[in-house]
Amino acid sequence: MPPPEWPTACGVQSQVDGSYLVDPCRSWRGLKAGQGLGYGFAAGRIGTTDLLVAGAPCVMADDNGGSCYSGIVRLDDRPFGYVTQDDLTWAEPGAEYYFGAGFGFPGDVVGTGAGLASRGQHTTYFLPTLPERRVVVSDPLGPFPSSDVVVTERDEPLGREVLPCGDVTGDGQDDLCMVGGVVQIYEGPVSDGAAAWATYPVGWRGMGVFEPGGPRIGLWLRPAPNGESGAFLVPIDPGQHDELVGEPVWVDPPGVLLGQGGDWIGDVDGDGDDDLILADKLADERAGRVVVLVDDPLAGPFGHQLTLFIGPEPYNQLGSAVHVADLDGDGHQDLVLGAPGSPLSPTVGGRVHVLPGPIAEATWSDAVTWDTPVGFDYFGKWLATFDQDGDGHLELFVGAELDRYAAEGGGAVYSIEDPLRVRTP
């Protein structure tokens, strides 16, 4: 039986409220029911090759017999169209693995030019307290799985997130950082069965490692389920194991339960210093809210709230995904906010809002809004940017893991050219 046709005609369509429908022909769609194509994105570089990859972890597959292969697919080198299980660049039989449920480009952590790390778990997806976590580091340009390094943790909920943290240990080799319950740093080159170089019991989710003119700083989130909400700015001494340079700085914006949405570090106000964007998708009757925090001479790092965005209506879940990039080429970082909707209100479809930088001057009236003709498909839960066509301009990629036009829950990934509509008549 041939796959169904695209739901609408090709091309971007303007809507009466000023928003835009994405071009359905600039997309990839999963053909396997429950595949969940678009569940996660990562863009990165291996050697001199730039890659865009998407997850297809079978998280919605009603299948215990192994017919749904969880995995990751490379998108940057394939044309738009349908994606079958045979098209997965890296795959594992059996939906229970959820291979590709989270991944990133941590750098050359094995010392051979490899740089794609993924986590999987050999347990029921909705029981995250009983994980067998795994990180696979492989060369996306070489054979799979011959270049794998597997780090398995059975006793704690580790490996929830893979972070690109660079050379934390200061030996000239990229290191592997994982977050989930605690922060673990594996000294590169990482080998199978390696022990953690350092463990910090300060985080549930991570936002990366950066260096603001002193000791390296890691930013780790402590979400509401642990009894408190806030973020730790943790100073790390590359020469010390399991020791901090000083006391962690606590960041706790009012009205935001951290760990409930997407987050980002980036300069969105144009002053040259990194700002902190934090989101709570469950705030304000699940409308969601996003705050932008900047440094303050008196209040300290990220001590001043620059601006606040609240979802236009309940159940938008604004801030489920956050991304920062210069999408119009004006030299300012633009802010992209995903609002995929909620299963509690299937009538509220997913949307993506793009706010032009500098964000200090942006309001909702400046936002360019995108949605799909599919309806409740979680459009906007995952975001990435990548220059796929090589024209010097970034495209915006949006995941819709519950897209159902090719198959129920097959998922989709959309590519949006000129997301701020500055180059389009």
PDB file of all heavy atoms in Angstrom, residues 174-213:
ATOM      1  N   ASP A 174      38.997  15.942  24.794  1.00  0.00           N
ATOM      2  CA  ASP A 174      37.590  16.125  25.124  1.00  0.00           C
ATOM      3  C   ASP A 174      37.127  15.063  26.111  1.00  0.00           C
ATOM      4  O   ASP A 174      37.526  13.891  26.024  1.00  0.00           O
ATOM      5  CB  ASP A 174      36.722  16.042  23.861  1.00  0.00           C
ATOM      6  CG  ASP A 174      36.852  17.275  22.994  1.00  0.00           C
ATOM      7  OD1 ASP A 174      37.193  18.348  23.537  1.00  0.00           O
ATOM      8  OD2 ASP A 174      36.619  17.170  21.776  1.00  0.00           O
ATOM      9  N   ASP A 175      36.280  15.494  27.052  1.00  0.00           N
ATOM     10  CA  ASP A 175      35.748  14.600  28.069  1.00  0.00           C
ATOM     11  C   ASP A 175      34.251  14.400  27.854  1.00  0.00           C
ATOM     12  O   ASP A 175      33.597  15.161  27.136  1.00  0.00           O
ATOM     13  CB  ASP A 175      36.005  15.173  29.465  1.00  0.00           C
ATOM     14  CG  ASP A 175      37.477  15.431  29.710  1.00  0.00           C
ATOM     15  OD1 ASP A 175      38.285  14.521  29.466  1.00  0.00           O
ATOM     16  OD2 ASP A 175      37.821  16.555  30.131  1.00  0.00           O
ATOM     17  N   LEU A 176      33.706  13.354  28.482  1.00  0.00           N
ATOM     18  CA  LEU A 176      32.300  13.018  28.345  1.00  0.00           C
ATOM     19  C   LEU A 176      31.581  13.359  29.644  1.00  0.00           C
ATOM     20  O   LEU A 176      31.957  12.881  30.712  1.00  0.00           O
ATOM     21  CB  LEU A 176      32.142  11.519  28.044  1.00  0.00           C
ATOM     22  CG  LEU A 176      30.725  10.983  27.903  1.00  0.00           C
ATOM     23  CD1 LEU A 176      30.026  11.615  26.709  1.00  0.00           C
ATOM     24  CD2 LEU A 176      30.743   9.464  27.766  1.00  0.00           C
ATOM     25  N   CYS A 177      30.534  14.200  29.554  1.00  0.00           N
ATOM     26  CA  CYS A 177      29.772  14.599  30.726  1.00  0.00           C
ATOM     27  C   CYS A 177      28.348  14.075  30.618  1.00  0.00           C
ATOM     28  O   CYS A 177      27.703  14.239  29.574  1.00  0.00           O
ATOM     29  CB  CYS A 177      29.748  16.124  30.859  1.00  0.00           C
ATOM     30  SG  CYS A 177      31.361  16.859  31.171  1.00  0.00           S
ATOM     31  N   MET A 178      27.864  13.462  31.687  1.00  0.00           N
ATOM     32  CA  MET A 178      26.499  12.960  31.747  1.00  0.00           C
ATOM     33  C   MET A 178      25.828  13.518  33.000  1.00  0.00           C
ATOM     34  O   MET A 178      26.467  13.704  34.038  1.00  0.00           O
ATOM     35  CB  MET A 178      26.474  11.436  31.789  1.00  0.00           C
ATOM     36  CG  MET A 178      27.038  10.759  30.559  1.00  0.00           C
ATOM     37  SD  MET A 178      26.605   9.002  30.503  1.00  0.00           S
ATOM     38  CE  MET A 178      27.384   8.414  31.995  1.00  0.00           C
ATOM     39  N   VAL A 179      24.527  13.775  32.873  1.00  0.00           N
ATOM     40  CA  VAL A 179      23.760  14.332  33.975  1.00  0.00           C
ATOM     41  C   VAL A 179      22.519  13.491  34.188  1.00  0.00           C
ATOM     42  O   VAL A 179      21.876  13.056  33.230  1.00  0.00           O
ATOM     43  CB  VAL A 179      23.345  15.788  33.688  1.00  0.00           C
ATOM     44  CG1 VAL A 179      22.665  16.391  34.905  1.00  0.00           C
ATOM     45  CG2 VAL A 179      24.544  16.622  33.298  1.00  0.00           C
ATOM     46  N   GLY A 180      22.161  13.272  35.450  1.00  0.00           N
ATOM     47  CA  GLY A 180      20.937  12.544  35.769  1.00  0.00           C
ATOM     48  C   GLY A 180      21.039  12.020  37.188  1.00  0.00           C
ATOM     49  O   GLY A 180      21.657  10.995  37.433  1.00  0.00           O
ATOM     50  N   GLY A 181      20.489  12.742  38.152  1.00  0.00           N
ATOM     51  CA  GLY A 181      20.670  12.379  39.556  1.00  0.00           C
ATOM     52  C   GLY A 181      21.935  12.990  40.107  1.00  0.00           C
ATOM     53  O   GLY A 181      21.929  13.655  41.138  1.00  0.00           O
ATOM     54  N   VAL A 182      23.045  12.764  39.431  1.00  0.00           N
ATOM     55  CA  VAL A 182      24.316  13.410  39.733  1.00  0.00           C
ATOM     56  C   VAL A 182      24.947  13.826  38.412  1.00  0.00           C
ATOM     57  O   VAL A 182      24.477  13.468  37.338  1.00  0.00           O
ATOM     58  CB  VAL A 182      25.279  12.462  40.494  1.00  0.00           C
ATOM     59  CG1 VAL A 182      24.683  12.048  41.829  1.00  0.00           C
ATOM     60  CG2 VAL A 182      25.612  11.243  39.650  1.00  0.00           C
ATOM     61  N   VAL A 183      26.016  14.588  38.503  1.00  0.00           N
ATOM     62  CA  VAL A 183      26.806  14.940  37.324  1.00  0.00           C
ATOM     63  C   VAL A 183      28.041  14.053  37.307  1.00  0.00           C
ATOM     64  O   VAL A 183      28.761  13.970  38.306  1.00  0.00           O
ATOM     65  CB  VAL A 183      27.232  16.421  37.359  1.00  0.00           C
ATOM     66  CG1 VAL A 183      28.125  16.748  36.178  1.00  0.00           C
ATOM     67  CG2 VAL A 183      26.011  17.328  37.381  1.00  0.00           C
ATOM     68  N   GLN A 184      28.277  13.374  36.203  1.00  0.00           N
ATOM     69  CA  GLN A 184      29.471  12.551  36.067  1.00  0.00           C
ATOM     70  C   GLN A 184      30.304  13.020  34.887  1.00  0.00           C
ATOM     71  O   GLN A 184      29.772  13.311  33.819  1.00  0.00           O
ATOM     72  CB  GLN A 184      29.106  11.079  35.871  1.00  0.00           C
ATOM     73  CG  GLN A 184      28.632  10.391  37.128  1.00  0.00           C
ATOM     74  CD  GLN A 184      28.632   8.887  36.992  1.00  0.00           C
ATOM     75  OE1 GLN A 184      28.251   8.356  35.960  1.00  0.00           O
ATOM     76  NE2 GLN A 184      29.051   8.186  38.032  1.00  0.00           N
ATOM     77  N   ILE A 185      31.610  13.098  35.117  1.00  0.00           N
ATOM     78  CA  ILE A 185      32.560  13.460  34.074  1.00  0.00           C
ATOM     79  C   ILE A 185      33.495  12.279  33.850  1.00  0.00           C
ATOM     80  O   ILE A 185      34.124  11.776  34.791  1.00  0.00           O
ATOM     81  CB  ILE A 185      33.370  14.710  34.464  1.00  0.00           C
ATOM     82  CG1 ILE A 185      32.428  15.903  34.696  1.00  0.00           C
ATOM     83  CG2 ILE A 185      34.403  15.046  33.391  1.00  0.00           C
ATOM     84  CD1 ILE A 185      33.127  17.137  35.224  1.00  0.00           C
ATOM     85  N   TYR A 186      33.553  11.812  32.587  1.00  0.00           N
ATOM     86  CA  TYR A 186      34.458  10.726  32.207  1.00  0.00           C
ATOM     87  C   TYR A 186      35.619  11.322  31.434  1.00  0.00           C
ATOM     88  O   TYR A 186      35.420  12.003  30.427  1.00  0.00           O
ATOM     89  CB  TYR A 186      33.721   9.681  31.365  1.00  0.00           C
ATOM     90  CG  TYR A 186      32.723   8.871  32.143  1.00  0.00           C
ATOM     91  CD1 TYR A 186      31.438   9.352  32.353  1.00  0.00           C
ATOM     92  CD2 TYR A 186      33.064   7.643  32.687  1.00  0.00           C
ATOM     93  CE1 TYR A 186      30.512   8.621  33.084  1.00  0.00           C
ATOM     94  CE2 TYR A 186      32.139   6.898  33.416  1.00  0.00           C
ATOM     95  CZ  TYR A 186      30.867   7.398  33.612  1.00  0.00           C
ATOM     96  OH  TYR A 186      29.953   6.676  34.329  1.00  0.00           O
ATOM     97  N   GLU A 187      36.826  11.066  31.915  1.00  0.00           N
ATOM     98  CA  GLU A 187      38.013  11.644  31.302  1.00  0.00           C
ATOM     99  C   GLU A 187      38.314  10.974  29.972  1.00  0.00           C
ATOM    100  O   GLU A 187      38.350   9.748  29.868  1.00  0.00           O
ATOM    101  CB  GLU A 187      39.205  11.497  32.247  1.00  0.00           C
ATOM    102  CG  GLU A 187      40.456  12.210  31.767  1.00  0.00           C
ATOM    103  CD  GLU A 187      41.562  12.170  32.808  1.00  0.00           C
ATOM    104  OE1 GLU A 187      41.495  11.306  33.710  1.00  0.00           O
ATOM    105  OE2 GLU A 187      42.476  12.992  32.726  1.00  0.00           O
ATOM    106  N   GLY A 188      38.495  11.797  28.942  1.00  0.00           N
ATOM    107  CA  GLY A 188      38.845  11.269  27.644  1.00  0.00           C
ATOM    108  C   GLY A 188      40.327  10.931  27.533  1.00  0.00           C
ATOM    109  O   GLY A 188      41.165  11.536  28.211  1.00  0.00           O
ATOM    110  N   PRO A 189      40.682   9.960  26.690  1.00  0.00           N
ATOM    111  CA  PRO A 189      39.776   9.174  25.856  1.00  0.00           C
ATOM    112  C   PRO A 189      39.000   8.147  26.672  1.00  0.00           C
ATOM    113  O   PRO A 189      39.571   7.431  27.487  1.00  0.00           O
ATOM    114  CB  PRO A 189      40.718   8.500  24.855  1.00  0.00           C
ATOM    115  CG  PRO A 189      42.038   8.412  25.553  1.00  0.00           C
ATOM    116  CD  PRO A 189      42.101   9.632  26.429  1.00  0.00           C
ATOM    117  N   VAL A 190      37.686   8.091  26.447  1.00  0.00           N
ATOM    118  CA  VAL A 190      36.802   7.205  27.192  1.00  0.00           C
ATOM    119  C   VAL A 190      36.922   5.792  26.635  1.00  0.00           C
ATOM    120  O   VAL A 190      36.982   5.584  25.431  1.00  0.00           O
ATOM    121  CB  VAL A 190      35.347   7.699  27.092  1.00  0.00           C
ATOM    122  CG1 VAL A 190      34.411   6.758  27.840  1.00  0.00           C
ATOM    123  CG2 VAL A 190      35.228   9.107  27.649  1.00  0.00           C
ATOM    124  N   SER A 191      36.934   4.820  27.521  1.00  0.00           N
ATOM    125  CA  SER A 191      36.993   3.415  27.105  1.00  0.00           C
ATOM    126  C   SER A 191      35.827   2.655  27.723  1.00  0.00           C
ATOM    127  O   SER A 191      35.182   3.125  28.675  1.00  0.00           O
ATOM    128  CB  SER A 191      38.316   2.772  27.537  1.00  0.00           C
ATOM    129  OG  SER A 191      38.480   2.853  28.943  1.00  0.00           O
ATOM    130  N   ASP A 192      35.538   1.491  27.190  1.00  0.00           N
ATOM    131  CA  ASP A 192      34.437   0.671  27.668  1.00  0.00           C
ATOM    132  C   ASP A 192      34.652   0.324  29.139  1.00  0.00           C
ATOM    133  O   ASP A 192      35.723  -0.126  29.537  1.00  0.00           O
ATOM    134  CB  ASP A 192      34.356  -0.606  26.826  1.00  0.00           C
ATOM    135  CG  ASP A 192      33.093  -1.394  27.101  1.00  0.00           C
ATOM    136  OD1 ASP A 192      32.225  -0.884  27.833  1.00  0.00           O
ATOM    137  OD2 ASP A 192      32.972  -2.516  26.587  1.00  0.00           O
ATOM    138  N   GLY A 193      33.621   0.559  29.951  1.00  0.00           N
ATOM    139  CA  GLY A 193      33.708   0.255  31.363  1.00  0.00           C
ATOM    140  C   GLY A 193      34.460   1.283  32.180  1.00  0.00           C
ATOM    141  O   GLY A 193      34.796   1.025  33.339  1.00  0.00           O
ATOM    142  N   ALA A 194      34.724   2.456  31.613  1.00  0.00           N
ATOM    143  CA  ALA A 194      35.496   3.475  32.319  1.00  0.00           C
ATOM    144  C   ALA A 194      34.773   3.955  33.564  1.00  0.00           C
ATOM    145  O   ALA A 194      33.550   4.062  33.597  1.00  0.00           O
ATOM    146  CB  ALA A 194      35.763   4.656  31.381  1.00  0.00           C
ATOM    147  N   ALA A 195      35.559   4.259  34.594  1.00  0.00           N
ATOM    148  CA  ALA A 195      35.010   4.841  35.811  1.00  0.00           C
ATOM    149  C   ALA A 195      34.960   6.357  35.668  1.00  0.00           C
ATOM    150  O   ALA A 195      35.733   6.963  34.919  1.00  0.00           O
ATOM    151  CB  ALA A 195      35.860   4.448  37.017  1.00  0.00           C
ATOM    152  N   ALA A 196      34.042   6.986  36.369  1.00  0.00           N
ATOM    153  CA  ALA A 196      33.900   8.440  36.303  1.00  0.00           C
ATOM    154  C   ALA A 196      35.123   9.117  36.905  1.00  0.00           C
ATOM    155  O   ALA A 196      35.626   8.701  37.953  1.00  0.00           O
ATOM    156  CB  ALA A 196      32.635   8.879  37.021  1.00  0.00           C
ATOM    157  N   TRP A 197      35.602  10.155  36.231  1.00  0.00           N
ATOM    158  CA  TRP A 197      36.712  10.958  36.757  1.00  0.00           C
ATOM    159  C   TRP A 197      36.243  11.804  37.939  1.00  0.00           C
ATOM    160  O   TRP A 197      36.969  12.016  38.901  1.00  0.00           O
ATOM    161  CB  TRP A 197      37.250  11.854  35.646  1.00  0.00           C
ATOM    162  CG  TRP A 197      38.337  12.810  36.036  1.00  0.00           C
ATOM    163  CD1 TRP A 197      39.674  12.541  36.118  1.00  0.00           C
ATOM    164  CD2 TRP A 197      38.187  14.189  36.385  1.00  0.00           C
ATOM    165  NE1 TRP A 197      40.374  13.673  36.496  1.00  0.00           N
ATOM    166  CE2 TRP A 197      39.475  14.701  36.673  1.00  0.00           C
ATOM    167  CE3 TRP A 197      37.086  15.041  36.485  1.00  0.00           C
ATOM    168  CZ2 TRP A 197      39.683  16.029  37.047  1.00  0.00           C
ATOM    169  CZ3 TRP A 197      37.296  16.370  36.859  1.00  0.00           C
ATOM    170  CH2 TRP A 197      38.586  16.846  37.142  1.00  0.00           C
ATOM    171  N   ALA A 198      35.023  12.297  37.863  1.00  0.00           N
ATOM    172  CA  ALA A 198      34.475  13.117  38.937  1.00  0.00           C
ATOM    173  C   ALA A 198      32.967  12.946  38.972  1.00  0.00           C
ATOM    174  O   ALA A 198      32.329  12.728  37.944  1.00  0.00           O
ATOM    175  CB  ALA A 198      34.832  14.586  38.745  1.00  0.00           C
ATOM    176  N   THR A 199      32.407  13.041  40.174  1.00  0.00           N
ATOM    177  CA  THR A 199      30.961  12.970  40.369  1.00  0.00           C
ATOM    178  C   THR A 199      30.539  14.103  41.286  1.00  0.00           C
ATOM    179  O   THR A 199      31.114  14.280  42.365  1.00  0.00           O
ATOM    180  CB  THR A 199      30.553  11.621  41.002  1.00  0.00           C
ATOM    181  OG1 THR A 199      30.952  10.554  40.134  1.00  0.00           O
ATOM    182  CG2 THR A 199      29.049  11.555  41.207  1.00  0.00           C
ATOM    183  N   TYR A 200      29.563  14.882  40.837  1.00  0.00           N
ATOM    184  CA  TYR A 200      29.056  16.004  41.618  1.00  0.00           C
ATOM    185  C   TYR A 200      27.574  15.769  41.916  1.00  0.00           C
ATOM    186  O   TYR A 200      26.758  15.711  40.999  1.00  0.00           O
ATOM    187  CB  TYR A 200      29.212  17.326  40.872  1.00  0.00           C
ATOM    188  CG  TYR A 200      30.639  17.647  40.492  1.00  0.00           C
ATOM    189  CD1 TYR A 200      31.039  17.600  39.161  1.00  0.00           C
ATOM    190  CD2 TYR A 200      31.576  17.988  41.453  1.00  0.00           C
ATOM    191  CE1 TYR A 200      32.344  17.897  38.801  1.00  0.00           C
ATOM    192  CE2 TYR A 200      32.888  18.282  41.102  1.00  0.00           C
ATOM    193  CZ  TYR A 200      33.264  18.234  39.778  1.00  0.00           C
ATOM    194  OH  TYR A 200      34.554  18.520  39.414  1.00  0.00           O
ATOM    195  N   PRO A 201      27.190  15.643  43.191  1.00  0.00           N
ATOM    196  CA  PRO A 201      25.791  15.377  43.531  1.00  0.00           C
ATOM    197  C   PRO A 201      24.953  16.652  43.574  1.00  0.00           C
ATOM    198  O   PRO A 201      24.344  16.982  44.580  1.00  0.00           O
ATOM    199  CB  PRO A 201      25.910  14.735  44.915  1.00  0.00           C
ATOM    200  CG  PRO A 201      27.102  15.401  45.514  1.00  0.00           C
ATOM    201  CD  PRO A 201      28.067  15.630  44.370  1.00  0.00           C
ATOM    202  N   VAL A 202      24.913  17.363  42.454  1.00  0.00           N
ATOM    203  CA  VAL A 202      24.274  18.680  42.479  1.00  0.00           C
ATOM    204  C   VAL A 202      23.252  18.878  41.383  1.00  0.00           C
ATOM    205  O   VAL A 202      22.686  19.957  41.277  1.00  0.00           O
ATOM    206  CB  VAL A 202      25.335  19.804  42.355  1.00  0.00           C
ATOM    207  CG1 VAL A 202      26.235  19.824  43.568  1.00  0.00           C
ATOM    208  CG2 VAL A 202      26.156  19.633  41.084  1.00  0.00           C
ATOM    209  N   GLY A 203      22.986  17.882  40.561  1.00  0.00           N
ATOM    210  CA  GLY A 203      22.114  18.192  39.439  1.00  0.00           C
ATOM    211  C   GLY A 203      21.218  17.061  39.004  1.00  0.00           C
ATOM    212  O   GLY A 203      21.466  15.890  39.280  1.00  0.00           O
ATOM    213  N   TRP A 204      20.172  17.432  38.307  1.00  0.00           N
ATOM    214  CA  TRP A 204      19.256  16.476  37.683  1.00  0.00           C
ATOM    215  C   TRP A 204      19.302  16.626  36.181  1.00  0.00           C
ATOM    216  O   TRP A 204      19.201  15.664  35.448  1.00  0.00           O
ATOM    217  CB  TRP A 204      17.845  16.738  38.197  1.00  0.00           C
ATOM    218  CG  TRP A 204      16.789  15.848  37.624  1.00  0.00           C
ATOM    219  CD1 TRP A 204      16.477  14.574  38.017  1.00  0.00           C
ATOM    220  CD2 TRP A 204      15.870  16.157  36.573  1.00  0.00           C
ATOM    221  NE1 TRP A 204      15.440  14.073  37.284  1.00  0.00           N
ATOM    222  CE2 TRP A 204      15.042  15.028  36.381  1.00  0.00           C
ATOM    223  CE3 TRP A 204      15.669  17.276  35.774  1.00  0.00           C
ATOM    224  CZ2 TRP A 204      14.033  15.000  35.432  1.00  0.00           C
ATOM    225  CZ3 TRP A 204      14.664  17.246  34.826  1.00  0.00           C
ATOM    226  CH2 TRP A 204      13.858  16.116  34.659  1.00  0.00           C
ATOM    227  N   ARG A 205      19.480  17.845  35.722  1.00  0.00           N
ATOM    228  CA  ARG A 205      19.679  18.145  34.310  1.00  0.00           C
ATOM    229  C   ARG A 205      20.806  19.148  34.187  1.00  0.00           C
ATOM    230  O   ARG A 205      21.066  19.924  35.104  1.00  0.00           O
ATOM    231  CB  ARG A 205      18.407  18.742  33.693  1.00  0.00           C
ATOM    232  CG  ARG A 205      17.297  17.747  33.474  1.00  0.00           C
ATOM    233  CD  ARG A 205      16.115  18.433  32.831  1.00  0.00           C
ATOM    234  NE  ARG A 205      16.517  19.209  31.672  1.00  0.00           N
ATOM    235  CZ  ARG A 205      15.833  20.250  31.214  1.00  0.00           C
ATOM    236  NH1 ARG A 205      14.744  20.634  31.808  1.00  0.00           N
ATOM    237  NH2 ARG A 205      16.234  20.899  30.144  1.00  0.00           N
ATOM    238  N   GLY A 206      21.455  19.142  33.040  1.00  0.00           N
ATOM    239  CA  GLY A 206      22.576  20.038  32.851  1.00  0.00           C
ATOM    240  C   GLY A 206      22.366  20.969  31.677  1.00  0.00           C
ATOM    241  O   GLY A 206      21.598  20.684  30.772  1.00  0.00           O
ATOM    242  N   MET A 207      23.064  22.089  31.701  1.00  0.00           N
ATOM    243  CA  MET A 207      22.977  23.038  30.607  1.00  0.00           C
ATOM    244  C   MET A 207      24.328  23.314  29.980  1.00  0.00           C
ATOM    245  O   MET A 207      24.445  24.153  29.108  1.00  0.00           O
ATOM    246  CB  MET A 207      22.357  24.347  31.080  1.00  0.00           C
ATOM    247  CG  MET A 207      20.881  24.223  31.383  1.00  0.00           C
ATOM    248  SD  MET A 207      20.166  25.786  31.852  1.00  0.00           S
ATOM    249  CE  MET A 207      20.517  26.753  30.386  1.00  0.00           C
ATOM    250  N   GLY A 208      25.358  22.640  30.437  1.00  0.00           N
ATOM    251  CA  GLY A 208      26.638  22.810  29.785  1.00  0.00           C
ATOM    252  C   GLY A 208      27.719  23.316  30.718  1.00  0.00           C
ATOM    253  O   GLY A 208      27.486  23.611  31.886  1.00  0.00           O
ATOM    254  N   VAL A 209      28.912  23.412  30.180  1.00  0.00           N
ATOM    255  CA  VAL A 209      30.080  23.868  30.915  1.00  0.00           C
ATOM    256  C   VAL A 209      30.677  25.039  30.153  1.00  0.00           C
ATOM    257  O   VAL A 209      30.883  24.969  28.940  1.00  0.00           O
ATOM    258  CB  VAL A 209      31.119  22.733  31.060  1.00  0.00           C
ATOM    259  CG1 VAL A 209      32.342  23.223  31.800  1.00  0.00           C
ATOM    260  CG2 VAL A 209      30.507  21.536  31.778  1.00  0.00           C
ATOM    261  N   PHE A 210      30.924  26.139  30.827  1.00  0.00           N
ATOM    262  CA  PHE A 210      31.479  27.305  30.160  1.00  0.00           C
ATOM    263  C   PHE A 210      32.481  27.983  31.086  1.00  0.00           C
ATOM    264  O   PHE A 210      32.623  27.618  32.247  1.00  0.00           O
ATOM    265  CB  PHE A 210      30.369  28.280  29.739  1.00  0.00           C
ATOM    266  CG  PHE A 210      29.505  28.781  30.870  1.00  0.00           C
ATOM    267  CD1 PHE A 210      29.670  30.048  31.380  1.00  0.00           C
ATOM    268  CD2 PHE A 210      28.513  27.974  31.402  1.00  0.00           C
ATOM    269  CE1 PHE A 210      28.866  30.513  32.410  1.00  0.00           C
ATOM    270  CE2 PHE A 210      27.694  28.425  32.426  1.00  0.00           C
ATOM    271  CZ  PHE A 210      27.880  29.699  32.935  1.00  0.00           C
ATOM    272  N   GLU A 211      33.214  28.959  30.580  1.00  0.00           N
ATOM    273  CA  GLU A 211      34.306  29.581  31.319  1.00  0.00           C
ATOM    274  C   GLU A 211      34.190  31.096  31.227  1.00  0.00           C
ATOM    275  O   GLU A 211      34.634  31.710  30.262  1.00  0.00           O
ATOM    276  CB  GLU A 211      35.652  29.124  30.750  1.00  0.00           C
ATOM    277  CG  GLU A 211      36.835  29.502  31.625  1.00  0.00           C
ATOM    278  CD  GLU A 211      38.085  28.722  31.243  1.00  0.00           C
ATOM    279  OE1 GLU A 211      38.002  27.902  30.310  1.00  0.00           O
ATOM    280  OE2 GLU A 211      39.114  28.945  31.870  1.00  0.00           O
ATOM    281  N   PRO A 212      33.615  31.747  32.242  1.00  0.00           N
ATOM    282  CA  PRO A 212      33.395  33.195  32.199  1.00  0.00           C
ATOM    283  C   PRO A 212      34.564  34.013  32.729  1.00  0.00           C
ATOM    284  O   PRO A 212      34.387  34.998  33.431  1.00  0.00           O
ATOM    285  CB  PRO A 212      32.158  33.350  33.094  1.00  0.00           C
ATOM    286  CG  PRO A 212      32.351  32.274  34.125  1.00  0.00           C
ATOM    287  CD  PRO A 212      33.020  31.123  33.411  1.00  0.00           C
ATOM    288  N   GLY A 213      35.793  33.594  32.441  1.00  0.00           N
ATOM    289  CA  GLY A 213      36.942  34.360  32.888  1.00  0.00           C
ATOM    290  C   GLY A 213      37.491  33.889  34.217  1.00  0.00           C
ATOM    291  O   GLY A 213      38.145  34.654  34.931  1.00  0.00           O
TER     292      GLY A 213
END
